[in-house]
Amino acid sequence: MPKYLSIGRLTRGVVVVKLIALSVFFGLVVLLVSGPLRIGVSSGLKVSRREILYPMNNTSQRHLPPGETVHLQMGQLRNFLPNVFLHPGTHEDSGRYRSSVLAYLHNPKSGGTSMRQCLEELSQHAGKPPPVLVSIDTISEVTTRHLNRAIKVSDFYVGDAAFGICDSVDGRPCSYFTLMREPFERSISHYFFCRNGGESWPPCNNTLEEFTLSLCSLFFRQMTTRLSCDHAVNSNASSPWTCNNRATSIDHYIHKNTRNRAATLEHILANMDKYFAVIGIVDEFEASLKMFEHAFGYPFHRTCNNIQLNRARYTAGDKEIIYAESKARLMQNEKVRECLHEDIQIYEQVLKIFETEKHIFANL
């Protein structure tokens, strides 16, 4: 009997511990998806929370708590300049853009490696430090050092995690810009680049369809992932800000929540011309460089038009045939079309923005 009672007490204790653990877990989830600058209490120490967006690879498929308005979290981005061509008054205020911090969002296999080399050459010619790489591996450290004033704000940032870096840049305006590629073609290029020995995540030891389904709408994910940073308000520490090493992906929380996913996409589509100071497209690389040059004052076109790195090794005819056949396969695959839905919608919006930019630029 005593032995039985001992086991019973232990069982009840385990149940209590599990309940406490579950309570803590759900409390953390609520904190992770809540808005910026929320005040909480931890061991009597006031803590403020800032949420910063950046991309990561994570295949979890959790859901937001009921009632969360995910698209509003996108609206918490700050300190970025709107499209210089599309918004009244911005073009006349060109000095702000030319003195702004430049943050280039690198969507893989969309001319990003060439743009990184371009920015390195531009910074060198201008006598400025080289661009700061903002990748999944470096974003936490870069952001923490910004918030703690441990490093001077750079003039150039580049990387697949650059969207959101303007949040932690204080004292100067900040401009996002990017090049985007047609989503089916981007995925095909990424796959064959990997198959030809190029460095890639995810790996490509599978079919083109499987590879595409492992990434889905990559640009959408790059714009919808959050880094959480905490500030000990009444701390005397020299580095009061700390940022998590891992991100909370809004995309993964809403993976199967059609309503919230649609609301987030709708918000992005409605605000692309506000988030990005200039948007270029890979198919019009030279025209994009000319608009970057006009907006920011650096000689993008003169310096970078002949830089084209990480191009696949095909003859022109072979590449056209391979891409055409591969694109037809992907477009006929219902799962792939669904998987790329967000990036397809974003790219269609980007094309409209780009054509308007180009028209306005041509008439200046």
Side-chain angles (χ1 to χ4, degrees), residues 250-271:
I250 296 174
D251 177 35
H252 300 131
Y253 274 115
I254 61 177
H255 184 77
K256 293 185 177 179
N257 188 320
T258 304
R259 181 177 60 83
N260 276 339
R261 194 173 186 85
T264 303
L265 176 61
E266 182 180 355
H267 183 86
I268 291 174
L269 295 176
N271 289 280

Side-chain angles (χ1 to χ4, degrees), residues 92-145:
E92 290 75 11
D93 194 18
S94 60
R96 293 185 68 206
Y97 289 82
R98 297 191 172 203
S99 63
S100 67
V101 172
L102 301 188
Y104 179 79
L105 175 60
H106 174 193
N107 187 227
K109 300 310 299 172
S110 302
T113 304
S114 299
M115 285 302 303
R116 180 176 174 181
Q117 179 64 36
C118 171
L119 289 172
E120 288 177 357
E121 294 191 16
L122 290 175
S123 62
Q124 184 178 8
H125 293 164
K128 296 181 177 182
V132 174
L133 177 62
V134 190
S135 69
I136 293 170
D137 295 327
T138 66
I139 181 63
S140 179
E141 179 183 359
V142 172
T143 302
T144 300
R145 297 181 73 182

Side-chain angles (χ1 to χ4, degrees), residues 281-341:
I281 59 173
V282 172
D283 286 345
E284 295 208 40
F285 185 71
E286 184 173 5
S288 300
L289 290 177
K290 289 180 179 179
M291 290 193 288
F292 294 161
E293 182 169 316
H294 177 81
F296 304 128
Y298 295 100
F300 278 89
H301 180 254
R302 296 196 301 273
T303 303
C304 311
N305 190 41
N306 294 321
I307 299 176
Q308 294 195 30
L309 304 174
N310 278 354
R311 294 177 64 88
R313 298 180 181 87
Y314 303 112
T315 62
D318 288 343
K319 181 176 180 178
E320 290 176 2
I321 294 172
I322 291 171
Y323 270 52
E325 292 177 348
S326 299
K327 189 172 182 178
R329 280 170 50 194
L330 291 183
M331 293 181 72
Q332 291 169 7
N333 188 306
E334 183 178 355
K335 290 183 179 179
V336 169
R337 292 198 308 270
E338 181 181 352
C339 188
L340 292 177
H341 171 73

